Amino acid sequence: MTDPLVLFMPSGKRGRFPIGTPVMEAARRLGVRVESVCGGRGACGACQIDVHSGRFAKHGITSTSRNLSAPAAKELEYAERRKLKPGRRLSCQATIQGDLVIDVPQDVTVNAQIVRKGTSGRTIDRSPAIRLCYTEVEVPDMQKPRGDAERLIEALCRDWGLERLGIEPSLLAGLQATLRSGRWTVTAAIHDDPQSGPPHIVALWPGLKNEAYGIACDIGSTTIAMHLVSLVSGRVAASAGAANPQIGFGEDLMSRVSYVMMNPGGRTELTAAVRGAINDLIAKVCGDADASAADILDAVFVGNPVMHHLFLGIDPTELGGAPFALAVSGPIHGRAADFELSINPNARLYVLPCIAGHVGADAAAAILAEGPHRQDEMMLLVDVGTNAEIVLGNRNRVVVCSSPTGPAFEGAEISSGQRAAPGAIERVRIDPATLEPRYRVIGVEPWSDEPGFEEAARAFGVTGICGSGIIEVMAEMFLAGLISEDGIINGALATRSSRVIPHGRTFSYVLRAGEPVISVTQADVRAVQLAKAALYAGVKLLMQKQGVTAVDRIHLAGAFGSFIDARYAMVLGLIPDCALDCVASVGNAAGEGALMALLNRDYRREIEDEVRRIEKIETALAPDFQSFFVEAMALPNKTDAFPKLAAAMGLPERTASSRRRTATGRPGP
Amino acid sequence: MTDPLVLFMPSGKRGRFPIGTPVMEAARRLGVRVESVCGGRGACGACQIDVHSGRFAKHGITSTSRNLSAPAAKELEYAERRKLKPGRRLSCQATIQGDLVIDVPQDVTVNAQIVRKGTSGRTIDRSPAIRLCYTEVEVPDMQKPRGDAERLIEALCRDWGLERLGIEPSLLAGLQATLRSGRWTVTAAIHDDPQSGPPHIVALWPGLKNEAYGIACDIGSTTIAMHLVSLVSGRVAASAGAANPQIGFGEDLMSRVSYVMMNPGGRTELTAAVRGAINDLIAKVCGDADASAADILDAVFVGNPVMHHLFLGIDPTELGGAPFALAVSGPIHGRAADFELSINPNARLYVLPCIAGHVGADAAAAILAEGPHRQDEMMLLVDVGTNAEIVLGNRNRVVVCSSPTGPAFEGAEISSGQRAAPGAIERVRIDPATLEPRYRVIGVEPWSDEPGFEEAARAFGVTGICGSGIIEVMAEMFLAGLISEDGIINGALATRSSRVIPHGRTFSYVLRAGEPVISVTQADVRAVQLAKAALYAGVKLLMQKQGVTAVDRIHLAGAFGSFIDARYAMVLGLIPDCALDCVASVGNAAGEGALMALLNRDYRREIEDEVRRIEKIETALAPDFQSFFVEAMALPNKTDAFPKLAAAMGLPERTASSRRRTATGRPGP
């Protein structure tokens, strides 16, 4: 007689197994993920399954719940105690008695897969560095006088296939009481990240414990973002963000480095500030998820090199000047307690590697999330802040650089610029015929030319232009002919529009009259030109390194990438030409990468290996960077065409040969 | 032409090496230990050698200092800077140019071998878990943006043959300043004990650092003993001991366990007390050796199970009753900072394994020091305190047990008993003819019957009898016929000596009249009988397990073993018959074992393996223990003969068959 055929859904994996095989064992042999905390003792309920009843002609299976063994005592007990849904079975207890189609339900938290919210929709397999392992420990025996810790370790190694398992010495104090209050049953949280040594018990609870958490944190210069994640189910239990209080010591990175250099104790202050903010966020996500901070057992951090160093308590002064030496570039494996985090004192800490003095663990995390190294297409990944981190590559080769874009894209050094906040203009359109603008303000629903705008805008006022607004207004001015390819505001148009007004020896464009006047000055245009030229020159440098003249895909990461309209970025020449549907805003890719490293240790190895492989290009040492920069001062660029953008927007295609002006900013002949 | 012949003294190792071979390399190839901190850079001076000049006919060598290369620039520089003795050369710089007889001088601290002070005279090879490694680190390079930590690790791995080297995260904060102040030269202290994970940098100094320390500490219930040891040379830099302040919470172990059980916070108090005393000792040994506590990088501890638990912060309550479950029995690898030790915060801590609930890490350390498992002879190793830890074995098999001897051997529960301190009688002789005693008092030079005794004794008075005095007076009373084999003080002798006086329904022997009267009562004799019977019964149980009727060698460890006269111990039957020259007092064997584990990691593996192999016998569960105990109440024993003792002391040999009385204490027929 042939063995019964078993088909698992939704994975579609199938195989034949002898009658009497536990369903969990069949699943494991086929590589179907069925979770378990209790190690198959019918105690944790994590391995629930459903049976599909009916004839599945395509597979040649007639499945019925009678083809499973009758519920065992442990299942009945669990069903009563924990209210198992009707029809649900525990796969560790139920055995195969005939053909079956089995569903691994996604509502059981431990089986919920993590679906990427970004562009790829990729699922993240779970293999966290911390896992919960339930076991039953032998009682003490005077004839075999091994310690309680040794019997615990023996039981865990036996039940969970571990070797060389150690225990955190600080747990020894509470060990005996825990074992006795759990009547020799216990759940251990085991840290198992081979890179940092043999597996290690980091927490213990009497009896069965079904939940533990980790945090993934992106420490940005401006914003700190945190996810609280169940390490058992992979579910994101809460997310929160907060301003980085280091802003009080300096808006941008270099001013914070200066603060450390100028003030004795400055490093300590900045470290305390960022750790304090992180602890506040921990309290917030725990409150939101009704979780205990003592149940947080793993913590993954990413950040740019200066944030990385300050968080770790390292003086960032060396990052302030050439050769921009990182104190440490590799991954950090540590104990949370050593970094004053208000979580379980034995929790582990992992910090992703940095790539170079200006390309940090946040960039590494973004690469991990977007995965240029996992695909064939030539992907450009850009994260723009005060510095732009630029990554270009595919599975063959990845190159990165950092380019000093300055703060213009964040609205700083722009006459009417401001942070993205209610009252800031974020969207702009200019009628090429009348040169009249219309715009949208953060926090205000209607556009400026729609009914009710002024009333709605009164709540916050209209106070300035944020980063995305700067890009749009400049692109629209360029498209309307208000700005030349060289970036000159055309004073001759003052005769056609009262919005073009003289401003010293140059001209400005008034976006909104009133209090305050919001306008774009020639100096503003120059600031954006410098910023975009720095970005584009970095991209060009990497394209040169890769020997390509076009990229297949552009991912824009970070807050800037989230709000910017890719078309306008391309109109101004911030990024190279690319099919618009291949340009994506990917949000906080760094935070996403941190989450991946939290949920699966394999991603840690992947990015560690990749960072070693990545080629870092130092723009300051690259002979062609300066000429790329000069060419990129032109709008969109002196030498590059943007045929895909032109086609998509119905614009006439400009080519390098059609240009009449130089890129120096002076009118040509 | 044959290569030059090189002979190393004092090891006598020899070999031929091509002209130009550095002497250090020749030494290493022959397995001659030549130390180096700087890795052969002529910087540390650890590898000094001398050349013997002359014709060594026996070896066929004519050696002259001209057969070494002329001093190199680095040698001359070192000689000037550090005052190299005339004739001395650095073996890393000097190369072989002809036949040589080379002396590895023992006055260079790093070459000093550790000679065991105990009985074996064995040398301890050094292979400490912490070693100092000097290296030169590549300067930062913008083209290769690895962190300073990564370049440091790379340099150390390259120069010192390390793999998977990690760094303590807390060192990252000071790393950049250290590298720069040392001009990219640095000495790293590397912890490398494979059992606790990959090698790890635990301390860093700019430039060359030539010294680091470790401590080895035996935490006794009464006394804490500590050695401060150079990890570079192996030299014991200072030793000190102090009373265990836990005595204030209870004289013996069980009263301290009771204190913890009865007092909330009691465990915390006792832990703080012992750690405080250890920190005081650390300050003392550092002061004595003019060493900095921050240079102490490794710490090895041993102690009985209750001391072990309290030091580690573990509640010892479970050790107070069956099944006497240890919280942990295996070795502890930890960080000193987690145990509040006032040494380098990154220092490591190692605690030897415990053997059973009553046989602790101190017993394991004593076994390591005395090495029954390393030899063919059947060795009995006894450490007597409130419990006796008894070990019997050879390389084939080692068995251990613990027997509850009670405090009689320490002078407690004895009417005139006291601790070993000035004023205590420690030696006694009784004239069998006159029954008159003479004795010696701690702190007083003459015996009691010698001129000047009474004057000298006035300083402290004569206040009682200490443990060794109890043994001697009882043995002498037995030899003089004052006590029968059953332990009865013979009241009939009151007619011959006024020192035998009635005391209720029994008799006492007055050792010293005056204030206070110091006498031996019948109850005192009973207390010693019970104690010695417990000890002897434990020994008999182990002999039964081993299937032997005699032992080859007896090692008496601890304070008791140091002061007791082995002959008297045998006369009373504390220990079995043995040739007197095979009975040795070995002092603080536990402290010696701790020192060995500090100086050589291999000893840690040796004792860990041995503890797993050792068979632990629980006396309470052994069917024959009770009958052995009853037999051992007789003096020296009801069933065993002591022919070797009798021969050595010129006594008539008593045999079991010659006995007239039972061992119950009542006169027989």
Side-chain angles (χ1 to χ4, degrees):
Chain A
M1 203 184 85
T2 329
D3 284 336
L5 183 60
V6 181
L7 171 70
F8 284 94
M9 300 300 287
S11 67
K13 290 179 178 170
R14 52 192 287 169
R16 292 192 179 273
F17 298 91
I19 285 176
T21 306
V23 173
M24 178 184 258
E25 195 184 321
R28 292 212 165 144
R29 284 206 222 147
L30 291 173
V32 173
R33 174 173 289 275
V34 179
E35 200 49 76
S36 174
V37 171
C38 72
R41 287 188 173 78
C44 73
C47 68
Q48 291 177 32
I49 49 158
D50 260 333
V51 172
H52 288 287
S53 287
R55 170 145 183 78
F56 296 80
K58 180 180 155 199
H59 303 287
I61 299 178
T62 301
S63 173
T64 155
S65 60
R66 290 188 305 276
N67 285 348
L68 275 185
S69 57
K74 281 201 172 174
E75 271 187 280
L76 295 171
E77 185 194 324
Y78 179 87
E80 188 177 321
R81 191 162 42 90
R82 303 263 174 162
K83 300 197 177 68
L84 199 59
K85 285 192 189 174
R88 286 282 167 86
R89 299 294 303 275
L90 299 183
S91 67
C92 64
Q93 302 295 316
T95 61
I96 295 165
Q97 303 295 330
D99 289 355
L100 285 162
V101 174
I102 285 172
D103 187 50
V104 182
Q106 299 297 304
D107 65 343
V108 180
T109 56
V110 291
N111 290 318
Q113 281 179 311
I114 313 311
V115 180
R116 195 77 215 267
K117 293 189 192 71
T119 49
S120 72
R122 183 166 33 88
T123 51
I124 303 176
D125 270 339
R126 267 172 301 126
S127 172
I130 297 276
R131 58 172 163 160
L132 296 184
C133 299
Y134 170 91
T135 195
E136 291 163 8
V137 180
E138 246 183 76
V139 299
D141 176 353
M142 278 166 77
Q143 301 274 19
K144 289 184 287 179
R146 288 163 308 143
D148 284 356
E150 282 68 27
R151 275 175 283 108
L152 167 66
I153 285 170
E154 189 183 77
L156 287 166
C157 287
R158 176 195 65 212
D159 289 354
W160 295 92
L162 296 161
E163 280 176 17
R164 295 190 65 199
L165 178 64
I167 182 166
E168 199 63 33
S170 64
L171 293 177
L172 296 173
L175 172 69
Q176 296 193 304
T178 300
L179 287 175
R180 283 157 185 78
S181 80
R183 299 185 178 202
W184 305 99
T185 70
V186 65
T187 304
I190 294 178
H191 180 258
D192 190 6
D193 185 346
Q195 200 67 16
S196 76
H200 220 71
I201 303 171
V202 297
L204 280 175
W205 300 267
L208 181 72
K209 167 90 175 171
N210 241 338
E211 189 59 287
Y213 295 95
I215 51 172
C217 184
D218 172 29
I219 310 171
S221 328
T222 309
T223 307
I224 305 174
M226 184 180 290
H227 297 301
L228 177 74
V229 185
S230 161
L231 294 175
V232 176
S233 70
R235 180 176 57 95
V236 175
S239 299
N244 187 334
Q246 290 180 340
I247 290 171
F249 299 87
E251 278 271 327
D252 60 58
L253 291 175
M254 282 311 130
S255 60
R256 293 183 210 170
V257 173
S258 297
Y259 185 88
V260 171
M261 292 169 70
M262 312 291 277
N263 295 280
R267 201 280 302 153
T268 312
E269 285 179 86
L270 284 165
T271 298
V274 68
R275 291 182 182 172
I278 289 167
N279 282 332
D280 291 346
L281 275 176
I282 290 168
K284 171 150 180 41
V285 292
C286 283
D288 290 352
D290 198 18
S292 160
D295 286 347
I296 300 179
L297 296 171
D298 203 4
V300 173
F301 289 88
V302 302
N304 61 57
V306 174
M307 290 302 105
H308 170 277
H309 276 41
L310 285 172
F311 168 66
L312 292 172
I314 303 171
D315 189 315
T317 300
E318 292 295 330
L319 297 169
F324 310 108
L326 289 156
V328 57
S329 56
I332 310 283
H333 294 272
R335 303 203 301 181
D338 293 340
F339 301 92
E340 301 169 305
L341 298 182
S342 306
I343 57 180
N344 189 300
N346 287 324
R348 296 310 162 119
L349 168 140
Y350 176 77
V351 184
L352 271 70
C354 288
I355 299 173
H358 283 131
V359 189
D362 51 351
I367 290 171
L368 179 61
E370 301 311 313
H373 58 291
R374 284 191 292 262
Q375 45 139 53
D376 293 321
E377 287 182 318
M378 185 59 67
M379 180 193 287
L380 175 66
L381 170 62
V382 175
D383 193 343
V384 176
T386 309
N387 279 294
E389 284 114 41
I390 312 168
V391 180
L392 181 68
N394 57 18
R395 69 171 80 250
N396 295 322
R397 186 184 184 198
V398 174
V399 294
V400 305
C401 73
S402 159
S403 195
T405 45
F409 290 149
E410 293 179 326
E413 296 185 9
I414 298 292
S415 60
S416 298
Q418 70 159 87
R419 283 195 178 281
I425 293 174
E426 57 165 350
R427 293 266 170 270
V428 181
R429 297 290 179 273
I430 297 175
D431 185 315
T434 64
L435 305 181
E436 279 302 293
R438 60 194 199 94
Y439 45 83
R440 198 170 168 185
V441 173
I442 297 177
V444 180
E445 185 56 29
W447 283 71
S448 62
D449 59 346
E450 289 175 350
F453 170 78
E454 289 297 339
E455 295 87 314
R458 248 172 241 137
F460 309 108
V462 180
T463 47
I465 319 176
C466 69
S468 61
I470 298 284
I471 302 299
E472 294 207 1
V473 69
M474 258 193 68
E476 286 282 323
M477 285 171 74
F478 177 58
L479 292 172
L482 280 159
I483 302 177
S484 69
E485 288 178 356
D486 298 327
I488 305 297
I489 296 179
N490 185 357
L493 292 175
T495 56
R496 271 180 54 200
S497 168
S498 61
R499 291 186 176 268
V500 178
I501 57 168
H503 186 90
R505 294 163 60 192
T506 58
F507 289 84
S508 293
Y509 175 74
V510 177
L511 196 50
R512 178 180 168 89
E515 185 55 48
V517 174
I518 299 174
S519 61
V520 179
T521 67
Q522 184 61 57
D524 294 341
V525 176
R526 278 284 173 273
V528 171
Q529 272 182 293
L530 288 165
K532 81 105 190 170
L535 174 55
Y536 196 90
V539 173
K540 280 289 293 251
L541 191 65
L542 298 187
M543 290 172 72
Q544 183 191 46
K545 285 284 167 192
Q546 289 277 16
V548 298
T549 55
V551 303
D552 300 319
R553 179 169 288 283
I554 300 178
H555 283 194
L556 302 172
F560 179 78
S562 298
F563 296 106
I564 203 172
D565 184 319
R567 288 173 306 168
Y568 289 114
M570 228 180 274
V571 163
L572 287 186
L574 273 70
I575 50 175
D577 192 44
C578 185
L580 283 176
D581 60 357
C582 291
V583 182
S585 164
V586 294
N588 184 2
E592 172 97 9
L595 184 63
M596 290 169 69
L598 177 65
L599 284 170
N600 192 326
R601 299 162 298 175
D602 299 341
Y603 287 124
R604 301 181 183 184
R605 298 302 93 74
E606 179 180 324
I607 193 59
E608 288 162 10
D609 290 347
E610 190 53 33
V611 165
R612 273 189 287 271
R613 221 167 59 105
I614 284 173
E615 293 166 58
K616 302 94 191 172
I617 315 298
E618 183 52 55
T619 52
L621 302 177
D624 292 330
F625 182 76
Q626 198 53 36
S627 60
F628 290 144
F629 183 86
V630 171
E631 288 170 8
M633 283 292 287
L635 304 181
N637 192 277
K638 193 177 170 194
T639 51
D640 295 335
F642 286 74
K644 290 172 188 159
L645 171 70
M649 295 188 74
L651 300 173
E653 186 180 332
R654 279 181 295 255
T655 63
S657 60
S658 73
R659 287 163 197 282
R660 292 170 299 107
R661 296 172 189 278
T662 68
T664 59
R666 293 205 202 108
Chain B
M1 203 187 85
T2 330
D3 285 336
L5 183 60
V6 181
L7 171 70
F8 284 94
M9 299 300 288
S11 67
K13 289 177 178 171
R14 52 193 285 169
R16 292 192 178 274
F17 298 91
I19 285 176
T21 305
V23 174
M24 178 184 260
E25 195 185 320
R28 292 211 164 146
R29 285 207 221 146
L30 292 174
V32 173
R33 174 174 290 273
V34 178
E35 200 47 76
S36 174
V37 170
C38 73
R41 287 187 174 79
C44 72
C47 68
Q48 290 178 33
I49 50 156
D50 260 333
V51 172
H52 287 287
S53 288
R55 171 144 183 76
F56 295 81
K58 179 182 155 198
H59 303 288
I61 298 178
T62 301
S63 173
T64 154
S65 59
R66 289 188 307 277
N67 285 349
L68 275 186
S69 57
K74 281 202 174 174
E75 272 186 280
L76 295 171
E77 184 195 325
Y78 179 88
E80 187 176 322
R81 191 162 42 89
R82 304 264 174 160
K83 299 199 177 69
L84 198 59
K85 284 190 190 176
R88 286 281 167 87
R89 300 294 303 275
L90 299 183
S91 67
C92 64
Q93 302 294 316
T95 62
I96 295 165
Q97 303 295 328
D99 289 356
L100 286 162
V101 174
I102 285 172
D103 187 50
V104 182
Q106 298 298 305
D107 65 342
V108 180
T109 55
V110 292
N111 290 318
Q113 281 178 312
I114 313 311
V115 180
R116 194 94 202 261
K117 294 189 191 74
T119 49
S120 72
R122 182 165 34 88
T123 50
I124 303 176
D125 271 339
R126 266 173 301 127
S127 173
I130 297 276
R131 58 173 163 160
L132 296 184
C133 299
Y134 171 90
T135 195
E136 290 163 9
V137 179
E138 249 184 73
V139 299
D141 176 353
M142 279 167 76
Q143 302 273 21
K144 289 184 285 178
R146 288 163 308 143
D148 285 356
E150 282 68 26
R151 275 175 283 108
L152 167 65
I153 286 169
E154 188 181 78
L156 287 166
C157 286
R158 177 195 65 212
D159 289 354
W160 295 92
L162 297 162
E163 280 176 17
R164 296 191 63 199
L165 178 63
I167 181 166
E168 200 62 33
S170 64
L171 293 178
L172 296 173
L175 173 70
Q176 296 194 304
T178 301
L179 286 174
R180 283 156 185 78
S181 81
R183 299 186 178 200
W184 304 99
T185 70
V186 66
T187 304
I190 294 178
H191 179 258
D192 190 5
D193 186 345
Q195 200 67 16
S196 75
H200 220 70
I201 304 172
V202 296
L204 281 175
W205 300 267
L208 180 72
K209 167 89 175 171
N210 240 339
E211 187 60 285
Y213 294 96
I215 51 173
C217 184
D218 172 29
I219 310 172
S221 327
T222 308
T223 308
I224 305 173
M226 184 180 289
H227 297 301
L228 177 74
V229 185
S230 162
L231 295 175
V232 176
S233 71
R235 180 176 56 94
V236 175
S239 298
N244 187 334
Q246 290 180 340
I247 289 171
F249 299 87
E251 278 271 327
D252 60 60
L253 291 174
M254 281 312 130
S255 59
R256 293 183 209 170
V257 174
S258 298
Y259 185 87
V260 170
M261 293 169 69
M262 312 290 277
N263 295 280
R267 202 278 304 153
T268 311
E269 285 179 86
L270 284 165
T271 297
V274 69
R275 290 182 182 171
I278 288 167
N279 283 331
D280 291 346
L281 275 176
I282 289 168
K284 170 148 180 46
V285 292
C286 283
D288 290 353
D290 198 18
S292 160
D295 286 347
I296 299 178
L297 297 171
D298 203 2
V300 173
F301 289 88
V302 302
N304 62 57
V306 175
M307 291 302 105
H308 170 277
H309 276 40
L310 286 172
F311 168 66
L312 293 172
I314 303 170
D315 188 315
T317 300
E318 292 294 331
L319 296 170
F324 310 109
L326 289 156
V328 57
S329 56
I332 309 283
H333 293 272
R335 303 205 300 182
D338 292 340
F339 301 91
E340 302 170 306
L341 297 182
S342 305
I343 58 180
N344 189 299
N346 287 323
R348 297 310 163 116
L349 168 139
Y350 175 78
V351 183
L352 270 70
C354 289
I355 299 173
H358 283 132
V359 189
D362 52 351
I367 290 171
L368 179 61
E370 300 312 313
H373 58 291
R374 285 191 292 262
Q375 45 139 54
D376 294 319
E377 287 182 317
M378 185 59 66
M379 180 194 286
L380 175 67
L381 170 61
V382 176
D383 193 343
V384 176
T386 310
N387 278 296
E389 285 115 39
I390 311 169
V391 180
L392 181 68
N394 58 18
R395 69 172 80 250
N396 296 322
R397 186 183 182 197
V398 174
V399 294
V400 305
C401 72
S402 158
S403 195
T405 44
F409 290 150
E410 294 180 325
E413 295 184 10
I414 298 293
S415 60
S416 298
Q418 69 159 88
R419 284 196 177 280
I425 294 173
E426 56 165 351
R427 295 263 170 272
V428 180
R429 298 290 179 275
I430 297 175
D431 185 314
T434 64
L435 305 182
E436 278 302 295
R438 59 195 198 94
Y439 43 84
R440 197 169 168 184
V441 173
I442 297 177
V444 180
E445 186 56 29
W447 281 73
S448 61
D449 59 345
E450 290 174 349
F453 170 77
E454 288 298 338
E455 295 86 314
R458 248 172 241 138
F460 309 108
V462 180
T463 48
I465 319 176
C466 69
S468 61
I470 297 285
I471 303 298
E472 295 207 0
V473 70
M474 257 193 68
E476 286 281 322
M477 286 171 74
F478 176 60
L479 293 171
L482 281 159
I483 303 177
S484 70
E485 288 177 357
D486 298 324
I488 306 295
I489 297 179
N490 186 355
L493 293 174
T495 57
R496 271 181 53 201
S497 167
S498 61
R499 290 185 177 271
V500 178
I501 57 169
H503 186 87
R505 293 165 59 190
T506 58
F507 289 84
S508 293
Y509 176 74
V510 177
L511 196 51
R512 179 180 168 87
E515 186 55 44
V517 175
I518 298 172
S519 61
V520 178
T521 67
Q522 184 63 57
D524 295 340
V525 177
R526 278 286 173 271
V528 171
Q529 272 182 294
L530 288 166
K532 82 105 190 170
L535 175 55
Y536 196 90
V539 173
K540 279 289 293 251
L541 190 65
L542 298 186
M543 289 172 72
Q544 183 190 47
K545 285 285 166 192
Q546 289 276 17
V548 297
T549 54
V551 303
D552 299 321
R553 178 169 289 283
I554 300 177
H555 283 195
L556 302 171
F560 179 78
S562 298
F563 296 106
I564 202 173
D565 184 319
R567 289 173 305 166
Y568 290 113
M570 229 179 274
V571 163
L572 287 186
L574 274 69
I575 50 176
D577 191 46
C578 185
L580 282 175
D581 59 357
C582 291
V583 183
S585 164
V586 295
N588 183 2
E592 172 99 8
L595 184 64
M596 290 169 70
L598 177 65
L599 284 171
N600 193 326
R601 301 162 297 174
D602 298 341
Y603 287 123
R604 301 183 183 184
R605 297 303 93 74
E606 179 180 324
I607 193 60
E608 289 162 11
D609 291 346
E610 190 54 34
V611 165
R612 274 189 287 272
R613 221 166 59 104
I614 284 172
E615 294 165 59
K616 302 94 191 173
I617 315 297
E618 183 52 56
T619 52
L621 302 177
D624 291 331
F625 183 75
Q626 199 53 38
S627 61
F628 289 145
F629 183 87
V630 170
E631 288 170 9
M633 283 292 288
L635 303 182
N637 192 279
K638 193 178 170 196
T639 51
D640 296 334
F642 287 73
K644 290 173 188 157
L645 172 70
M649 295 188 72
L651 299 174
E653 186 181 332
R654 279 181 295 257
T655 62
S657 59
S658 73
R659 289 166 195 282
R660 292 169 299 106
R661 296 174 189 277
T662 68
T664 57
R666 293 205 202 109

